[in-house]
Structure formats: structure tokens, C-alpha cells
Amino acid sequence: MIAVVEENKIMEAIEKANILVEALPYIKNFRGKTFVIKYGGNAMVDDRLKHMVMEDIVLLKFVGINPVIIHGGGPEINDVLRKLGKKPQFVNGLRVTDRETMEVVEMVLTGKVNKEIVSYINRYGGKAIGLSGKDGGLVTAGKDLSNGDLGFVGYVKDVNTEVIQLLVREDYIPVIAPVAIGEDGETYNINADTVAGEIAGSLGAEKLIMLTDVEGIYKDYRDKGSLISSLDIKTALSYIEKGIIDGGMIPKVLCCINAIEKGVKKTHIIDGRMPHSMLLEIFTHRGIGTMVVR
Ligand SMILES: Nc1ncnc2c1ncn2[C@@H]1O[C@H](COP(=O)(O)OP(=O)(O)O)[C@@H](O)[C@H]1O
Ligand SMILES: [Mg+2]
């Protein structure tokens, strides 16, 4: 009886070792490559999950991949706005941002969410550094008028990746809040997806991974069986046109398209609420979520 239990334990351990070896070709292939990861707001649901995502990011770093993190913080921003008696408003997934809202956005993103991610990563043995688009002139914003005047909503006018490269060279993990300064000296709120796409493009990243609060893109949002595993640019644009892709998924898809056009090899929209979804996507044959392809 005892011998059987022992044998089972050994088999289990061998199974675990097998899983590690299965990752070998992926580790070989991705060593030294840059992965841009967009995390949160809506996928950053509970603390336990956040810790798991941070642990996975540290693991990526230690097997030789260079993760660069861009984060959102929608729900946290909404919480503070509501406390101030302001109602959050969105147009096509973009937050309507008056001056007071802009101050809240910057405080919450750079002060709270950014530092929380940094501290979690550091706790798991990574070396994270928090930045906003303002630091080192990383992102220059322009006023985004493509959806009408939404206030201090910016688009990415220019990216200067020098500070990222400096940090990555010394094995730091950059954690970037999507706030940037415009040539007019004003502070702009840029959708985190948009910033992630632009930075991935400028870095010539191997992968852009967007962790969100759905499994991926659905052909019919109400039918969870309609998850699309791979979507090309032309079809994606037609789905936006038809309203199949809507709300917060619009900037996500546009940013994947932008990244691909700038030379990023692979873009994925995956479920950030699923434990280790990133590791499944990167280190196993099992593709998950939706891949946006040329
Ligand atoms: N076709 C679609 N498939 C999946 N999600 C969609 C689709 N169209 C719109 N969405 C919406 O996009 C949301 C993800 O964007 P968003 O709320 O901005 O999340 P995040 O905080 O991760 O950026 C989903 O929760 C869903 O409500
Ligand atoms: Mg969003």
C-alpha cells in the first residue's frame, strides 16, 4: 500500500518534470526577445490573481524573456471618481476626461496601480521600475479628436524607447502607466491598449499580449461558444464596422493591428482572469484566446 502511494508520488513528480521539458523549445525560441504585456484594469479583479500574474511575469524574466508591462486601471479610477461624485463616461471604450478627471487618472494610475504592480513584481524577486509616459520622454501625446472632443484624451504621437532599453539592458522590468505629456504641456490620458501597441511596435517586440476580462473576441458577444481563435486584420476591421467588436475591445483590436503593421510578430488577446493564461499561451501548444494576425 505504502509502496503504491510512493510510486504515485514519483509518477506525479516525473509528470511535472515532463511539463518543464515541454517548455524547452519555447524557452530557446523566446530567450532575449521582448514581450509587451498589457494588464488590467478590468482583468485585475482579485488580489490572488494579481499575485499569480506577477509571479508569471517574474518567471518569464528568469527564463530570459524581457517583459515590458503597460497597465490600465479603469475600475480603480471609477471608484475614486464616484467618491468625488463624478460619473465615469465612455465613448467607444475611451474615457471622457475633463481636467479634474485627468488629475484623478494620473494619481490613481501612477500613484496607486503602478506602484502596486511594481511592489508585487519585486516581492517575487523581479526588479520592476515604474514609469509613466512622461518619464524620459517615453511617450509624447497629441489630443485625440477621432471620437469628438473627449477632453484630455490623447493619442500616441511619438515613442522614445531609450529609457525602456536602458532598463531592460540592466534586467529591470519596466512597468508603464499610460499617461503622457503633450507638446502643449498638458497631461493626457491615453488608453492603455493604444500605448501598449505603440510601444510594442517601437520596440519590435516578439509578442504583444493583452490580458483582459473576457476569453478573447467573440463573434457574438452573448454566445460564449463563439470565441474566435484567429482573426485577420481585414475581418477585424469589418467586425468593428458592424459593431460585432465594440466598446473596450475596439482599442484592443486596433492596437493589435497597429502593432502587427509595425512588425510585432504575434498579438494575443487572452483571459487575464484565468490562472496562468499567459504561460499556457507562451509555453504550450495549446493556443488560447484570440490571435490577431496579418
Ligand atoms: N466581440 C467582443 N468580444 C469580446 N469582448 C467584447 C466584444 N465586443 C466588446 N467587448 C467588450 O470589451 C471588453 C474588454 O475591454 P475593456 O472593458 O476595456 O477591458 P480592459 O480593462 O481589459 O481594457 C469586454 O469585457 C467586453 O465587454
Ligand atoms: Mg480597456
Side-chain angles (χ1 to χ4, degrees), residues 24-50:
L24 181 60
Y26 298 96
I27 296 173
K28 270 198 214 154
N29 190 23
F30 293 138
R31 248 181 73 176
K33 305 265 167 75
T34 300
F35 286 16
V36 171
I37 299 161
K38 191 272 177 161
Y39 184 44
N42 291 303
M44 291 173 77
V45 275
D46 69 66
D47 225 44
R48 203 180 63 91
L49 196 70
K50 271 192 243 176

Side-chain angles (χ1 to χ4, degrees), residues 40-240:
N42 291 303
M44 291 173 77
V45 275
D46 69 66
D47 225 44
R48 203 180 63 91
L49 196 70
K50 271 192 243 176
H51 280 277
M52 290 177 90
V53 172
M54 298 308 143
E55 222 173 356
D56 290 355
I57 288 170
V58 174
L59 189 138
L60 294 184
K61 185 71 193 183
F62 278 91
V63 299
I65 292 168
N66 297 319
V68 173
I69 319 301
I70 323 290
H71 65 83
E76 282 95 336
I77 295 167
N78 293 344
D79 279 352
V80 178
L81 285 175
R82 287 202 189 93
K83 279 178 196 153
L84 295 171
K86 285 178 86 84
K87 195 167 167 271
Q89 265 185 294
F90 293 88
V91 175
N92 287 336
L94 302 174
R95 181 186 300 281
V96 180
T97 310
D98 62 15
R99 194 174 287 282
E100 197 183 17
T101 303
M102 188 60 242
E103 281 182 12
V104 171
V105 167
E106 186 169 27
M107 277 193 286
V108 173
L109 289 181
T110 66
K112 183 172 185 282
V113 182
N114 188 277
K115 292 309 162 203
E116 186 178 74
I117 295 175
V118 165
S119 66
Y120 285 6
I121 291 177
N122 291 348
R123 202 169 135 186
Y124 289 109
K127 299 196 298 179
I129 294 260
L131 302 166
S132 85
K134 291 182 176 180
D135 292 288
L138 177 53
V139 178
T140 309
K143 187 177 168 89
D144 181 1
L145 292 165
S146 61
N147 295 280
D149 191 342
L150 305 179
F152 295 100
V153 171
Y155 69 93
V156 176
K157 199 163 185 186
D158 199 24
V159 176
N160 173 2
T161 57
E162 203 181 284
V163 64
I164 298 181
Q165 265 142 0
L166 197 91
L167 294 173
V168 169
R169 249 198 323 270
E170 298 298 325
D171 275 337
Y172 286 94
I173 301 173
V175 177
I176 301 159
V179 169
I181 209 142
E183 278 164 346
D184 54 7
E186 296 283 4
T187 300
Y188 285 93
N189 167 27
I190 311 180
N191 183 279
D193 302 338
T194 312
V195 174
E198 289 286 345
I199 288 180
S202 299
L203 287 171
E206 178 77 16
K207 272 184 196 282
L208 168 63
I209 301 174
M210 326 272 292
L211 295 167
T212 187
D213 66 345
V214 281
E215 287 173 278
I217 301 172
Y218 300 110
K219 179 93 194 274
D220 174 1
Y221 185 60
R222 284 150 307 177
D223 172 13
K224 302 302 177 227
S226 70
L227 184 69
I228 303 165
S229 60
S230 172
L231 189 64
D232 65 56
I233 295 179
K234 206 169 139 238
T235 316
L237 290 173
S238 80
Y239 283 2
I240 293 176

